[in-house]
Structures are given as structure tokens and as C-alpha cells.
Amino acid sequence: QVAIQHAVEKLEAAGVRLPAPHCAPVKGVDGSWWELRPRRGNCPWRPIYTRIGADEFKIAAIAPDGETNPREFMRACLDAAERLAKWKENEGR
């Protein structure tokens, strides 16, 4: 949890300028999803996030590392997409 919190703090501070190895685009998804890589990728968990507007980010899932558990990683990405769609729907009301 501490490593994830530090990664989130780095994202908040650097925004879209956060460099690798702290983040990476999610492979196999439309390009709007990114993964935070706590401890420069040496953490088994990946917060999945997307950019909303100019400077807001929404973390929609915490996934296992895609290299070691690709099936669960992709499932978490699909869950993240569903959560974001529901969030956008509720924001429009």
C-alpha cells in the first residue's frame, strides 16, 4: 500500500510528464489506459488509470502485474473500463 501511495503521489506531482519506469501504457488497450509501476516496476501490483480532462487522473483498478498474471491483469483493465463508464454516466446527471 505504501508503494502504491508513493506512485500515486508521483503521478499527482508530475502528471503526464511522469516518466518510465514509473508508468507505462497498458498494452492491448485503446491507448487511454496507463499503469502505475510502484517501485519502478518491482511491485506485484499496478494501479490502472486514465486521464480525465487536462490535469485529472482516475485510478479505476488495482491489477496484478501483467507479466506474471496477464489474465487477471486484463480482467482488471476491463473492470476499470466499466467503472469509468459508470462514473462518467453518473457525472452527467
Side-chain angles (χ1 to χ4, degrees):
Q1 288 178 341
V2 172
I4 289 174
Q5 183 59 40
H6 287 171
V8 169
E9 290 168 0
K10 288 177 186 176
L11 177 62
E12 289 172 340
V16 296
R17 296 182 317 273
L18 184 66
H22 304 289
C23 67
V26 172
K27 296 175 185 169
V29 183
D30 69 4
S32 64
W33 290 99
W34 288 74
E35 64 176 279
L36 280 177
R37 304 181 76 235
R39 295 186 182 138
R40 298 179 179 204
N42 293 318
C43 177
W45 298 102
R46 304 287 192 259
I48 306 298
Y49 70 95
T50 191
R51 186 174 172 184
I52 311 249
D55 60 354
E56 183 180 351
F57 298 91
K58 182 69 88 177
I59 295 174
I62 305 293
D65 172 39
E67 295 286 320
T68 57
N69 196 338
R71 183 176 178 179
E72 291 300 317
F73 180 85
M74 216 22 93
R75 179 179 292 177
C77 289
L78 294 173
D79 290 345
E82 280 185 34
R83 283 187 193 103
L84 183 64
K86 287 178 183 176
W87 177 79
K88 285 181 177 179
E89 183 179 299
N90 290 333
E91 285 290 305
R93 289 183 186 170

